[in-house]
Amino acid sequence: MSTAFSLAPLFRHSVGFDRFNDLFESALRNESGSTYPPYNVEKHGDDQYRIVIAVAGFQEEDLDLQVERGVLAVSGGKREKTDDAVTYLHHGIAQRAFKLSFRLADHIEVKGAALQNGLLNIDLVRVVPEEAKAKRIPINGQRAVLEN
């Protein structure tokens, strides 16, 4: 039995976070069914992220993306059967309903989404307002002289 502790689950449901407490909390929730459909969370530079979800068999109208209170929710539903003349001998492409949730860090915004080759790409960007950015304060090497 291994005693190693993997931190990988901490980073699956959060994008742009550097706060350990929030990541630890989401890992402890252990949401069931969160492994379907498979997805990647990618970092493309300091302020750009992408979530790639494998949604083979779904079309754009079958998918729904919503952002509410800093949580990106991606859901997909089975569409109505359109062709009754088709009989499946083997039905291996899953089209079951799903819902994935990703907690977004402060100032992370959804830039766009595209469905291409069975992959749903959701582009995210960190937009930090000027007043929230860190400011470097220069240190003067000379003492200020007080005038009387």
Side-chain angles (χ1 to χ4, degrees):
M1 185 168 165
S2 175
T3 58
F5 183 70
S6 172
L7 295 178
L10 297 176
F11 300 104
R12 281 198 299 219
H13 296 289
S14 298
V15 178
F17 267 99
D18 293 325
R19 298 181 210 151
F20 184 74
N21 289 340
D22 291 332
L23 295 173
F24 191 66
E25 178 184 311
S26 68
L28 288 177
R29 274 188 279 155
N30 192 15
E31 299 170 13
S32 62
S34 64
T35 59
Y36 174 80
Y39 60 89
N40 294 335
V41 179
E42 305 170 351
K43 185 171 183 177
H44 294 264
D46 290 338
D47 295 328
Q48 297 178 355
Y49 303 89
R50 176 177 285 162
I51 299 171
V52 181
I53 305 172
V55 290
F58 288 94
Q59 296 178 358
E60 289 180 22
E61 55 268 13
D62 302 330
L63 302 169
D64 184 46
L65 281 77
Q66 290 185 339
V67 177
E68 185 177 349
R69 291 190 220 147
V71 176
L72 169 64
V74 182
S75 58
K78 197 182 214 180
R79 61 182 177 269
E80 299 293 323
K81 273 189 168 180
T82 56
D83 192 1
D84 292 330
V86 175
T87 302
Y88 291 101
L89 301 178
H90 174 76
H91 196 112
I93 300 175
Q95 288 182 339
R96 63 180 183 251
F98 69 89
K99 182 170 184 177
L100 294 173
S101 295
F102 300 92
R103 183 184 302 229
L104 302 178
D106 295 336
H107 312 297
I108 296 287
E109 297 178 6
V110 178
K111 191 166 95 173
L115 181 63
Q116 184 178 22
N117 297 328
L119 297 175
L120 177 63
N121 295 300
I122 304 168
D123 292 319
L124 308 167
V125 65
R126 180 189 310 266
V127 180
V128 181
E130 277 302 315
E131 61 271 5
K133 289 183 180 177
K135 293 177 179 70
R136 183 168 295 278
I137 300 170
I139 301 172
N140 190 350
Q142 299 175 351
R143 293 186 144 213
V145 178
L146 297 176
E147 294 184 23
N148 293 340

